[in-house]
Amino acid sequence: MYTNEMLESMKKVEAARDANTDLEPRRMTAEEKDTLLATYHPDYKDSEFAVLEIGPNKGEKVPTELAALLQAKSRVDPAQIDLSNPDYDVDVLIIGGGGAGASAAIEADNNGAKTMVVTKLRMGDANTMMAEGGIQAADKPNDSPAVHYLDAFGGGHFAAKPELLYKLVNEAPEAIQWLSGLGVEFDKDADGTMITTHGGGTSRKRMHAAKDYSGAEIMRTLRDEVLNRQIPVVDFTAAIELILDDQGRAAGAVLLNMETKEILIAKAKTVIIATGGAGRLHYQGFPTSNHYGATADGLVLGYRAGAKLLYADTLQYHPTGAAYPEQIFGALVTEKVRSLGAKLINVDGEAFMHPLETRDVSAASIIRECSDRGKGVPTPGGYGVWLDTPMIERKGGEGTIEKRIPAMMRMFAKYGIDIRKEPILVYPTLHYQNGGLDITDDGMTGVENLFVAGEAVGGIHGRNRLMGNSLLDIIVFGRNAGKNASAKAKDVQVGKLTLEHVTSFAKEREAAGITGDVVSPQLLPDYRRK
């Protein structure tokens, strides 16, 4: 399974394991972190960014791949779209069927709103399903939302919108209770107390998990709740343009049936974008841990309608994506592996960083180790470093891996690798969209009646996110959007439907001299051989 070079390096890892088990590399100083990030983190690579020439964020930089989509042609020709006879007419239209969309649907339904979910794949095909490690909440006696706030604010480089982060941490304990009440099976001790662990950048153990398939367990529960309530879900149907009314308010969406290519019109009193992330754009050529539909659709739709972006130049590269074998290249190796005791080790068997630094610092450290320091392990896809998983059982006892991270054990076992006995090779993978659409604490953008929840939001986490706060934000801000959008819908009288904003954007594009045949939203990644 391994090359001779890998095997030689593995021997060094095994020989140094006793020392590395007891060795805890010091945490970096703030100055060391700043220098490291500026030198090695992909967000600081100016050549990979473009300045927007049109739209609400004109003059600001975003990743080159995203800029192309934000400034692309619409898939819709307004002259060819008849808005006079909508196929659907609802109070709340939710675009996206992941954890945020499902949470929003449940709360909107609770509020008596006529609610509908449209999703371009199937309900639950979302990054929520891919989340493994857990969900944060300060609900233990030695913890508090204030401490949670400080951890997250610092971890996000003090850039989070305070009112959003305040809502996130203060509503976290109740979010855990809400999920538990719906049926999520969190890990518990024999007496029923929820088991909590550390994550990178946390000063308290506040990570609640369902083994290492926390997101899948949460999504299973939310999806079942939506379906049991008989909330209409339109699968395999993508929103390809937002519809506004003649007062400039969000009033629905143009939909595309992904199988038949039929165009459908959904009219709504309020709209919630819950479309998730952008990993399948493969910024800077990185592999991704994201699901197949993560192509930044919500950012494109909101931007063309006039909603501003916040921190769209910041992405999270999860430090531990699988670097080998190539069949799972880029697949997520949960941070929980490190919180249980595994350490990052270079080709010479050296532990080169504290295992629970924040994700951006950890990713940059690995990139440095594999580039300037020449300490990476060669793989068919480039380089990686070892994540010494056998350390987990030294620390927690035999059986810890099978009990706490069984999905990870199974994923590698398919390729003949027993992570209880052998270390695994990892390298950063494109994981999370830190930036997104700018909202106020009620979940609404600058476009009236257009709400956003989940990974499509910018500002909750600042410029870097701590582990476990994404599963938390889809619940807190999904529920928030569902409650507020449904409440707002009660007083809305929708005006005449229009796509004038699409026409105006096309004129702005032409005036700026932007040419090319790229259309957006992209909807799906293109893996055809060029």
Side-chain angles (χ1 to χ4, degrees):
M1 197 55 215
Y2 291 106
T3 65
N4 289 333
E5 200 165 3
M6 291 176 188
L7 291 171
E8 286 302 311
S9 176
M10 196 185 296
K11 289 178 183 177
K12 295 177 182 177
V13 175
E14 292 168 351
R17 190 168 289 145
D18 286 338
N20 285 330
T21 299
D22 299 325
L23 174 68
E24 193 80 337
R26 68 172 178 84
R27 289 188 181 272
M28 296 182 196
T29 65
E31 292 76 15
E32 287 172 332
K33 290 178 183 180
D34 288 344
T35 300
L36 175 74
L37 293 172
T39 308
Y40 296 101
H41 195 278
D43 279 356
Y44 294 78
K45 199 171 182 179
D46 287 339
S47 61
E48 298 291 343
F49 293 82
V51 175
L52 292 170
E53 299 176 61
I54 58 174
N57 291 81
K58 180 179 177 180
E60 297 180 19
K61 71 172 187 176
V62 299
T64 303
E65 298 88 345
L66 180 59
L69 295 179
L70 291 173
Q71 300 180 138
K73 293 180 179 179
S74 173
R75 289 181 173 271
V76 168
D77 178 357
Q80 303 298 317
I81 303 296
D82 180 8
L83 302 177
S84 64
N85 187 28
D87 300 277
Y88 306 101
D89 191 345
V90 298
D91 296 330
V92 181
L93 174 66
I94 300 168
I95 303 170
S103 297
I106 293 165
E107 291 294 6
D109 185 64
N110 279 341
N111 215 7
K114 184 180 179 183
T115 304
M116 184 174 80
V117 178
V118 295
T119 179
K120 68 182 175 185
L121 298 175
R122 298 167 299 179
M123 188 72 184
D125 281 337
N127 279 348
T128 305
M129 282 293 294
M130 321 295 282
E132 296 169 348
I135 175 172
Q136 285 203 47
D139 58 1
K140 292 292 180 71
N142 70 330
D143 202 359
S144 72
V147 177
H148 188 178
Y149 184 102
L150 291 173
D151 286 348
F153 199 45
H157 302 287
F158 306 99
K161 292 183 75 169
E163 65 273 26
L164 300 186
L165 185 55
Y166 180 89
K167 178 179 282 288
L168 181 78
V169 300
N170 277 285
E171 296 184 14
E174 201 271 328
I176 296 293
Q177 290 181 328
W178 186 71
L179 288 171
S180 187
L182 289 176
V184 172
E185 295 287 345
F186 288 110
D187 295 339
K188 299 181 179 70
D189 283 325
D191 64 359
T193 303
M194 287 194 187
I195 297 170
T196 51
T197 58
H198 272 299
T202 64
S203 61
R204 302 288 189 275
K205 292 182 177 181
R206 70 173 70 95
M207 204 69 56
H208 302 65
K211 298 188 168 50
D212 59 345
Y213 42 81
S214 304
E217 171 63 9
I218 288 171
M219 191 69 247
R220 173 195 68 81
T221 306
L222 294 175
R223 181 185 58 210
D224 286 354
E225 184 69 15
V226 169
L227 298 179
N228 289 340
R229 287 168 175 257
Q230 298 185 320
I231 297 170
V233 176
V234 186
D235 286 323
F236 298 112
T237 301
I240 57 173
E241 205 61 73
L242 292 178
I243 298 170
L244 305 183
D245 69 7
D246 54 7
Q247 298 177 55
R249 304 176 301 184
V254 180
L255 310 177
L256 173 70
N257 183 301
M258 298 288 284
E259 295 174 297
T260 67
K261 307 306 178 185
E262 178 185 9
I263 295 291
L264 301 163
I265 304 301
K267 178 182 177 182
K269 295 177 179 176
T270 58
V271 178
I272 300 173
I273 289 176
T275 51
R280 290 289 167 171
L281 298 183
H282 293 288
Y283 296 129
Q284 301 187 35
F286 272 80
T288 186
S289 62
N290 284 190
H291 82 106
Y292 193 64
T295 49
D297 297 355
L299 305 195
V300 172
L301 297 177
Y303 193 73
R304 200 142 52 214
K308 288 196 71 171
L309 300 170
L310 181 63
Y311 303 147
D313 58 325
T314 65
L315 286 303
Q316 183 165 92
Y317 297 82
H318 195 292
T320 56
Y324 187 80
E326 59 188 348
Q327 295 95 323
I328 53 172
F329 186 52
L332 181 63
V333 176
T334 173
E335 194 170 303
K336 188 174 182 179
V337 176
R338 285 179 286 144
S339 70
L340 290 173
K343 292 182 182 174
L344 291 161
I345 311 293
N346 65 25
V347 69
D348 294 327
E350 302 162 337
F352 59 89
M353 56 161 282
H354 191 283
L356 291 178
E357 293 283 10
T358 56
R359 286 180 172 175
D360 54 352
V361 170
S362 299
S365 296
I366 293 170
I367 292 170
R368 177 180 63 181
E369 208 70 11
C370 292
S371 55
D372 285 7
R373 289 186 174 176
K375 298 276 191 174
V377 181
T379 70
Y383 288 89
V385 297
W386 295 108
L387 185 56
D388 197 8
T389 48
M391 282 186 173
I392 294 172
E393 306 230 319
R394 287 197 172 202
K395 181 177 179 180
E398 188 175 344
T400 301
I401 287 176
E402 187 169 7
K403 181 180 179 181
R404 301 295 296 278
I405 48 171
M408 199 57 47
M409 189 177 81
R410 287 195 298 271
M411 181 170 77
F412 281 92
K414 288 180 182 177
Y415 305 100
I417 298 170
D418 186 345
I419 69 172
R420 297 169 297 185
K421 300 175 181 177
E422 303 167 296
I424 55 179
L425 284 165
V426 295
Y427 191 80
T429 185
L430 184 54
H431 183 61
Y432 190 81
Q433 179 178 272
N434 288 323
L437 294 164
D438 192 9
I439 62 169
T440 48
D441 62 359
D442 64 354
M444 194 161 69
T445 68
V447 177
E448 190 172 355
N449 297 342
L450 179 62
F451 294 77
V452 191
E455 197 172 341
V457 173
I460 299 173
H461 310 287
R463 292 185 168 273
N464 181 58
R465 177 181 63 78
L466 299 189
M467 171 193 180
N469 279 346
S470 59
L471 281 180
L472 177 59
D473 92 45
I474 64 172
I475 305 304
V476 169
F477 286 92
R479 296 179 71 197
N480 182 58
K483 290 174 183 177
N484 291 319
S486 57
K488 187 84 160 55
K490 293 178 180 179
D491 299 319
V492 171
Q493 292 294 324
V494 179
K496 181 182 177 182
L497 302 184
T498 174
L499 290 169
E500 180 57 35
H501 66 287
V502 179
T503 303
S504 297
F505 196 86
K507 290 178 180 177
E508 189 180 356
R509 186 175 182 270
E510 184 179 0
I514 299 173
T515 59
D517 296 323
V518 177
V519 296
S520 65
Q522 182 172 310
L523 302 182
L524 295 173
D526 183 0
Y527 292 124
R528 293 173 296 181
R529 293 184 184 276
K530 301 296 192 290

